[in-house]
Short mmCIF file of all heavy atoms in Angstrom, two decimals:
data_model
loop_
_atom_site.label_atom_id
_atom_site.label_comp_id
_atom_site.label_asym_id
_atom_site.label_seq_id
_atom_site.Cartn_x
_atom_site.Cartn_y
_atom_site.Cartn_z
N ASN A 467 -12.08 53.51 18.84
CA ASN A 467 -13.36 52.83 18.73
C ASN A 467 -14.50 53.84 18.72
O ASN A 467 -14.68 54.58 19.70
CB ASN A 467 -13.52 51.85 19.90
CG ASN A 467 -14.69 50.91 19.71
OD1 ASN A 467 -15.57 51.14 18.89
ND2 ASN A 467 -14.71 49.85 20.49
N PRO A 468 -15.30 53.91 17.66
CA PRO A 468 -16.40 54.88 17.64
C PRO A 468 -17.51 54.55 18.62
O PRO A 468 -18.31 55.43 18.97
CB PRO A 468 -16.90 54.80 16.20
CG PRO A 468 -16.50 53.43 15.73
CD PRO A 468 -15.21 53.12 16.43
N ASP A 469 -17.58 53.29 19.07
CA ASP A 469 -18.62 52.88 20.03
C ASP A 469 -17.94 52.32 21.28
O ASP A 469 -17.85 51.10 21.46
CB ASP A 469 -19.54 51.82 19.41
CG ASP A 469 -20.26 52.35 18.18
OD1 ASP A 469 -20.79 53.46 18.25
OD2 ASP A 469 -20.25 51.64 17.16
N PRO A 470 -17.44 53.18 22.15
CA PRO A 470 -16.71 52.70 23.34
C PRO A 470 -17.61 51.90 24.27
O PRO A 470 -18.83 52.14 24.35
CB PRO A 470 -16.22 54.00 24.00
CG PRO A 470 -17.17 55.05 23.51
CD PRO A 470 -17.57 54.65 22.14
N SER A 471 -17.02 50.95 24.98
CA SER A 471 -17.76 50.16 25.95
C SER A 471 -16.98 50.11 27.24
O SER A 471 -15.75 50.23 27.25
CB SER A 471 -17.99 48.73 25.42
OG SER A 471 -16.75 48.10 25.17
N LYS A 472 -17.68 49.92 28.35
CA LYS A 472 -17.02 49.81 29.64
C LYS A 472 -16.21 48.53 29.71
O LYS A 472 -16.55 47.54 29.06
CB LYS A 472 -18.07 49.82 30.76
CG LYS A 472 -18.81 51.13 30.93
CD LYS A 472 -19.79 51.06 32.08
CE LYS A 472 -20.52 52.39 32.29
NZ LYS A 472 -21.50 52.32 33.39
N ILE A 473 -15.15 48.55 30.48
CA ILE A 473 -14.39 47.31 30.65
C ILE A 473 -15.24 46.33 31.47
O ILE A 473 -15.96 46.72 32.39
CB ILE A 473 -13.01 47.55 31.29
CG1 ILE A 473 -13.13 48.07 32.72
CG2 ILE A 473 -12.18 48.50 30.46
CD1 ILE A 473 -11.79 48.11 33.45
N HIS A 474 -15.18 45.07 31.09
CA HIS A 474 -16.06 44.07 31.71
C HIS A 474 -15.40 42.70 31.59
O HIS A 474 -14.58 42.46 30.70
CB HIS A 474 -17.42 44.05 31.03
CG HIS A 474 -17.35 43.81 29.55
ND1 HIS A 474 -16.95 44.78 28.66
CD2 HIS A 474 -17.60 42.71 28.80
CE1 HIS A 474 -16.97 44.30 27.43
NE2 HIS A 474 -17.34 43.05 27.48
N TYR A 475 -15.78 41.78 32.49
CA TYR A 475 -15.17 40.45 32.49
C TYR A 475 -16.18 39.33 32.24
O TYR A 475 -15.80 38.17 32.15
CB TYR A 475 -14.42 40.18 33.80
CG TYR A 475 -15.21 40.44 35.05
CD1 TYR A 475 -16.10 39.50 35.55
CD2 TYR A 475 -15.07 41.63 35.75
CE1 TYR A 475 -16.82 39.73 36.70
CE2 TYR A 475 -15.78 41.88 36.90
CZ TYR A 475 -16.66 40.92 37.38
OH TYR A 475 -17.38 41.16 38.52
N VAL A 476 -17.46 39.64 32.14
CA VAL A 476 -18.47 38.64 31.77
C VAL A 476 -19.44 39.27 30.78
O VAL A 476 -19.72 40.48 30.83
CB VAL A 476 -19.26 38.11 32.99
CG1 VAL A 476 -18.40 37.24 33.86
CG2 VAL A 476 -19.88 39.24 33.78
N GLY A 477 -19.97 38.44 29.88
CA GLY A 477 -21.00 38.90 28.98
C GLY A 477 -20.59 40.06 28.10
O GLY A 477 -19.43 40.27 27.79
N LYS A 478 -21.59 40.85 27.71
CA LYS A 478 -21.36 42.04 26.92
C LYS A 478 -21.56 43.27 27.79
O LYS A 478 -22.49 43.32 28.59
CB LYS A 478 -22.32 42.09 25.73
CG LYS A 478 -22.05 41.01 24.67
CD LYS A 478 -22.96 41.19 23.48
CE LYS A 478 -22.64 40.14 22.41
NZ LYS A 478 -23.52 40.30 21.23
N SER A 479 -20.71 44.25 27.60
CA SER A 479 -20.79 45.46 28.41
C SER A 479 -21.79 46.42 27.82
O SER A 479 -22.01 46.47 26.60
CB SER A 479 -19.42 46.14 28.50
OG SER A 479 -19.53 47.41 29.08
N GLU A 480 -22.41 47.17 28.69
CA GLU A 480 -23.22 48.28 28.22
C GLU A 480 -22.30 49.35 27.66
O GLU A 480 -21.13 49.44 28.00
CB GLU A 480 -24.04 48.86 29.39
CG GLU A 480 -23.18 49.34 30.54
CD GLU A 480 -23.99 49.70 31.76
OE1 GLU A 480 -24.64 48.80 32.31
OE2 GLU A 480 -23.97 50.88 32.15
N ASP A 481 -22.84 50.16 26.77
CA ASP A 481 -22.03 51.21 26.16
C ASP A 481 -21.54 52.17 27.22
O ASP A 481 -22.26 52.55 28.14
CB ASP A 481 -22.84 51.97 25.12
CG ASP A 481 -23.15 51.11 23.90
OD1 ASP A 481 -22.44 50.10 23.72
OD2 ASP A 481 -24.08 51.44 23.15
N ALA A 482 -20.28 52.58 27.08
CA ALA A 482 -19.69 53.53 28.02
C ALA A 482 -20.02 54.95 27.57
O ALA A 482 -20.08 55.22 26.36
CB ALA A 482 -18.18 53.35 28.09
N PRO A 483 -20.25 55.86 28.49
CA PRO A 483 -20.46 57.26 28.09
C PRO A 483 -19.18 57.82 27.48
O PRO A 483 -18.08 57.42 27.83
CB PRO A 483 -20.80 57.95 29.42
CG PRO A 483 -20.22 57.08 30.47
CD PRO A 483 -20.30 55.68 29.94
N LYS A 484 -19.36 58.71 26.54
CA LYS A 484 -18.20 59.34 25.90
C LYS A 484 -17.36 60.05 26.95
O LYS A 484 -17.87 60.76 27.81
CB LYS A 484 -18.67 60.35 24.86
CG LYS A 484 -19.33 59.72 23.63
CD LYS A 484 -18.30 59.32 22.61
CE LYS A 484 -18.99 58.84 21.33
NZ LYS A 484 -18.05 58.53 20.27
N LEU A 485 -16.06 59.83 26.87
CA LEU A 485 -15.14 60.45 27.82
C LEU A 485 -15.11 61.96 27.59
O LEU A 485 -15.05 62.42 26.46
CB LEU A 485 -13.75 59.86 27.64
CG LEU A 485 -12.73 60.11 28.75
CD1 LEU A 485 -13.13 59.37 30.01
CD2 LEU A 485 -11.35 59.65 28.31
N HIS A 486 -15.17 62.71 28.68
CA HIS A 486 -15.14 64.17 28.57
C HIS A 486 -13.70 64.64 28.36
O HIS A 486 -13.11 65.26 29.21
CB HIS A 486 -15.73 64.80 29.83
CG HIS A 486 -17.16 64.44 30.06
ND1 HIS A 486 -18.19 64.96 29.31
CD2 HIS A 486 -17.75 63.61 30.96
CE1 HIS A 486 -19.34 64.46 29.72
NE2 HIS A 486 -19.10 63.64 30.72
N LEU A 487 -13.17 64.33 27.18
CA LEU A 487 -11.79 64.68 26.89
C LEU A 487 -11.61 64.74 25.38
O LEU A 487 -12.02 63.83 24.64
CB LEU A 487 -10.84 63.63 27.49
CG LEU A 487 -9.36 64.00 27.65
CD1 LEU A 487 -9.17 65.34 28.33
CD2 LEU A 487 -8.64 62.92 28.44
N ASP A 488 -11.01 65.82 24.92
CA ASP A 488 -10.82 66.05 23.49
C ASP A 488 -9.89 65.00 22.89
O ASP A 488 -8.86 64.64 23.47
CB ASP A 488 -10.24 67.46 23.28
CG ASP A 488 -10.05 67.78 21.83
OD1 ASP A 488 -11.03 68.12 21.16
OD2 ASP A 488 -8.90 67.67 21.36
N LYS A 489 -10.23 64.50 21.69
CA LYS A 489 -9.44 63.45 21.05
C LYS A 489 -8.01 63.90 20.79
O LYS A 489 -7.06 63.13 20.98
CB LYS A 489 -10.10 63.02 19.74
CG LYS A 489 -11.32 62.14 19.89
CD LYS A 489 -11.78 61.66 18.53
CE LYS A 489 -12.98 60.72 18.67
NZ LYS A 489 -13.41 60.21 17.34
N ALA A 490 -7.87 65.12 20.30
CA ALA A 490 -6.52 65.61 19.99
C ALA A 490 -5.67 65.70 21.25
O ALA A 490 -4.46 65.44 21.21
CB ALA A 490 -6.60 66.97 19.31
N CYS A 491 -6.28 66.06 22.37
CA CYS A 491 -5.54 66.13 23.64
C CYS A 491 -5.13 64.75 24.10
O CYS A 491 -4.04 64.57 24.65
CB CYS A 491 -6.39 66.84 24.70
SG CYS A 491 -6.77 68.56 24.30
N ILE A 492 -5.99 63.76 23.88
CA ILE A 492 -5.63 62.38 24.22
C ILE A 492 -4.46 61.92 23.37
O ILE A 492 -3.49 61.35 23.88
CB ILE A 492 -6.84 61.44 24.02
CG1 ILE A 492 -7.99 61.81 24.97
CG2 ILE A 492 -6.43 59.99 24.24
CD1 ILE A 492 -9.26 61.02 24.73
N TYR A 493 -4.56 62.16 22.06
CA TYR A 493 -3.48 61.73 21.15
C TYR A 493 -2.16 62.39 21.54
O TYR A 493 -1.11 61.73 21.59
CB TYR A 493 -3.85 62.08 19.71
CG TYR A 493 -2.77 61.71 18.73
CD1 TYR A 493 -2.72 60.44 18.17
CD2 TYR A 493 -1.79 62.64 18.36
CE1 TYR A 493 -1.72 60.09 17.28
CE2 TYR A 493 -0.79 62.30 17.47
CZ TYR A 493 -0.75 61.02 16.93
OH TYR A 493 0.25 60.68 16.06
N THR A 494 -2.20 63.69 21.82
CA THR A 494 -0.97 64.41 22.18
C THR A 494 -0.41 63.90 23.50
O THR A 494 0.82 63.82 23.68
CB THR A 494 -1.27 65.91 22.29
OG1 THR A 494 -1.88 66.36 21.07
CG2 THR A 494 -0.01 66.71 22.52
N THR A 495 -1.27 63.54 24.43
CA THR A 495 -0.82 62.97 25.71
C THR A 495 -0.15 61.62 25.49
O THR A 495 0.94 61.36 26.02
CB THR A 495 -2.01 62.82 26.67
OG1 THR A 495 -2.61 64.09 26.89
CG2 THR A 495 -1.57 62.24 28.00
N PHE A 496 -0.77 60.74 24.71
CA PHE A 496 -0.17 59.45 24.42
C PHE A 496 1.17 59.63 23.70
O PHE A 496 2.12 58.87 23.93
CB PHE A 496 -1.10 58.60 23.57
CG PHE A 496 -2.25 57.98 24.33
CD1 PHE A 496 -3.27 57.32 23.67
CD2 PHE A 496 -2.31 58.06 25.71
CE1 PHE A 496 -4.32 56.74 24.36
CE2 PHE A 496 -3.36 57.50 26.42
CZ PHE A 496 -4.36 56.83 25.74
N ASP A 497 1.24 60.64 22.83
CA ASP A 497 2.48 60.90 22.11
C ASP A 497 3.60 61.28 23.08
O ASP A 497 4.75 60.86 22.92
CB ASP A 497 2.24 62.02 21.10
CG ASP A 497 3.33 62.09 20.05
OD1 ASP A 497 3.71 61.04 19.50
OD2 ASP A 497 3.83 63.20 19.79
N ALA A 498 3.27 62.08 24.10
CA ALA A 498 4.28 62.47 25.10
C ALA A 498 4.72 61.27 25.93
O ALA A 498 5.88 61.16 26.33
CB ALA A 498 3.72 63.56 26.00
N LEU A 499 3.79 60.34 26.19
CA LEU A 499 4.10 59.19 27.04
C LEU A 499 4.94 58.13 26.33
O LEU A 499 5.47 57.23 26.99
CB LEU A 499 2.80 58.57 27.56
CG LEU A 499 1.98 59.44 28.52
CD1 LEU A 499 0.68 58.75 28.88
CD2 LEU A 499 2.79 59.77 29.78
N ILE A 500 5.05 58.21 25.01
CA ILE A 500 5.94 57.29 24.30
C ILE A 500 7.39 57.53 24.71
O ILE A 500 8.21 56.61 24.76
CB ILE A 500 5.80 57.46 22.77
CG1 ILE A 500 4.39 57.04 22.33
CG2 ILE A 500 6.84 56.65 22.02
CD1 ILE A 500 4.09 57.36 20.88
N ASP A 501 7.71 58.78 25.04
CA ASP A 501 9.09 59.15 25.35
C ASP A 501 9.50 58.91 26.79
O ASP A 501 10.60 59.29 27.19
CB ASP A 501 9.32 60.63 25.01
CG ASP A 501 9.23 60.90 23.51
OD1 ASP A 501 9.60 60.00 22.74
OD2 ASP A 501 8.77 61.98 23.12
N VAL A 502 8.63 58.32 27.59
CA VAL A 502 9.02 57.99 28.96
C VAL A 502 10.18 57.00 28.92
O VAL A 502 10.14 56.02 28.17
CB VAL A 502 7.83 57.38 29.74
CG1 VAL A 502 8.26 56.95 31.13
CG2 VAL A 502 6.68 58.39 29.82
N ASN A 503 11.22 57.27 29.70
CA ASN A 503 12.39 56.39 29.71
C ASN A 503 12.03 55.00 30.20
O ASN A 503 11.50 54.83 31.30
CB ASN A 503 13.50 56.97 30.59
CG ASN A 503 14.16 58.17 29.95
OD1 ASN A 503 14.21 58.28 28.73
ND2 ASN A 503 14.65 59.08 30.77
N ARG A 504 12.30 54.01 29.38
CA ARG A 504 11.98 52.63 29.73
C ARG A 504 13.03 52.05 30.66
O ARG A 504 14.11 52.61 30.81
CB ARG A 504 11.86 51.79 28.45
CG ARG A 504 10.75 52.28 27.51
CD ARG A 504 10.48 51.27 26.42
NE ARG A 504 9.44 51.73 25.51
CZ ARG A 504 8.89 50.98 24.55
NH1 ARG A 504 9.29 49.73 24.39
NH2 ARG A 504 7.96 51.47 23.76
N PRO A 505 12.71 50.89 31.28
CA PRO A 505 13.71 50.23 32.13
C PRO A 505 14.98 49.93 31.35
O PRO A 505 14.99 49.92 30.11
CB PRO A 505 13.00 48.94 32.57
CG PRO A 505 11.54 49.25 32.45
CD PRO A 505 11.42 50.20 31.29
N ASP A 506 16.07 49.63 32.06
CA ASP A 506 17.39 49.48 31.46
C ASP A 506 17.40 48.57 30.24
O ASP A 506 17.96 48.91 29.20
CB ASP A 506 18.39 48.96 32.50
CG ASP A 506 18.62 49.97 33.61
OD1 ASP A 506 18.33 51.16 33.39
OD2 ASP A 506 19.07 49.57 34.70
N GLU A 507 16.75 47.41 30.35
CA GLU A 507 16.82 46.44 29.26
C GLU A 507 15.96 46.87 28.07
O GLU A 507 16.04 46.27 26.99
CB GLU A 507 16.39 45.05 29.73
CG GLU A 507 14.93 44.96 30.20
CD GLU A 507 14.78 45.30 31.67
OE1 GLU A 507 15.71 45.91 32.23
OE2 GLU A 507 13.74 44.95 32.24
N GLU A 508 15.14 47.92 28.24
CA GLU A 508 14.27 48.38 27.17
C GLU A 508 14.69 49.74 26.62
O GLU A 508 14.02 50.30 25.75
CB GLU A 508 12.83 48.49 27.70
CG GLU A 508 12.19 47.16 28.03
CD GLU A 508 11.61 46.49 26.80
OE1 GLU A 508 11.32 47.20 25.83
OE2 GLU A 508 11.48 45.26 26.80
N ASN A 509 15.77 50.30 27.13
CA ASN A 509 16.13 51.68 26.81
C ASN A 509 16.40 51.89 25.33
O ASN A 509 16.19 52.98 24.79
CB ASN A 509 17.35 52.12 27.62
CG ASN A 509 16.91 52.98 28.80
OD1 ASN A 509 15.82 53.54 28.80
ND2 ASN A 509 17.76 53.08 29.81
#
Side-chain angles (χ1 to χ4, degrees):
N467 191 344
D469 299 313
S471 60
K472 293 182 179 178
I473 65 171
H474 56 285
Y475 51 82
V476 289
K478 292 184 178 180
S479 170
E480 58 189 63
D481 291 341
K484 291 275 186 176
L485 195 68
H486 298 287
L487 197 50
D488 181 80
K489 284 187 178 182
C491 297
I492 296 174
Y493 178 87
T494 306
T495 301
F496 284 172
D497 197 46
L499 294 176
I500 294 172
D501 293 328
V502 176
N503 287 331
R504 299 191 180 188
D506 294 340
E507 63 272 17
E508 292 278 336
N509 259 339

